[in-house]
Amino acid sequence: RKLRPASVRIAAATPNVAETMTGARVFGKTWRTMRRASLAPAARAECTPVELAHQPTLGSALGVAVADGIAWVASSEAGLLAVDVSNPSLPRAIADLDTPVRATRIAARGGYLYVADGPEGGLVIVDARIPSLAQIVGSLSYSDDAAGVDLIGDVALVAAKTSGLLI
């Protein structure tokens, strides 16, 4: 697998805004998607993110979810990448996990990851309580392209390209 440089970017507010935010940080999947961000109510007037660091990925970085200092990156055909971002200036890849099809989006809760896994891959559930031992523990296949996922309580909502919202 070939590394794609600068696929995952980590950003924080500029110093003039950071003073009013008491160290709040933003984690984003690419620099291009973070032109402006409202990080806190006091910072709404002007907020210009700056890049702190980057972490190469094996595939295209399509989604990210952060839990317990670990950024889990949905990395297309390369599956998932776990990046320790406890020190945002020094991100460190610590684990990866292949998914059945193509990881496109990801949500995290309670040590588990919920992955939209592309065309006919459906929803994949990963036990990520120990990132280096992450493993797939469940899945639900769809005949449609799972393009997004989010959670409400203990229910997963999957965006499917032609079917719409699957609950």
Side-chain angles (χ1 to χ4, degrees):
R1 300 186 203 185
K2 184 179 177 185
L3 289 179
R4 294 173 51 119
S7 294
V8 177
R9 306 267 185 194
I10 300 170
T14 56
N16 61 333
V17 175
E19 292 173 5
T20 63
M21 296 175 14
T22 63
R25 290 195 169 94
V26 173
F27 298 92
K29 61 182 178 181
T30 64
W31 177 249
R32 290 181 293 278
T33 62
M34 298 185 65
R35 292 189 184 114
R36 285 182 174 259
S38 177
L39 303 180
R44 286 187 186 170
E46 184 67 34
C47 182
T48 306
V50 295
E51 181 180 332
L52 294 178
H54 75 274
Q55 173 65 49
T57 62
L58 296 173
S60 297
L62 300 177
V64 63
V66 180
D68 300 323
I70 305 296
W72 287 93
V73 182
S75 195
S76 191
E77 289 85 1
L80 302 175
L81 176 66
V83 180
D84 181 342
V85 291
S86 56
N87 179 349
S89 297
L90 296 170
R92 184 173 53 93
I94 58 172
D96 60 45
L97 177 68
D98 199 15
T99 59
V101 181
R102 179 183 51 149
T104 58
R105 298 292 185 268
I106 187 169
R109 178 167 301 140
Y112 288 85
L113 307 174
Y114 301 84
V115 182
D117 201 39
E120 300 185 17
L123 175 67
V124 174
I125 302 168
V126 175
D127 180 345
R129 292 175 290 181
I130 303 172
S132 61
L133 300 176
Q135 62 181 337
I136 295 172
V137 294
S139 65
L140 179 60
S141 294
Y142 302 114
S143 60
D144 199 352
D145 190 351
V149 63
D150 206 347
L151 305 170
I152 183 166
D154 60 352
V155 176
L157 296 90
V158 177
K161 284 195 176 178
T162 58
S163 300
L165 180 63
L166 305 174
I167 303 171

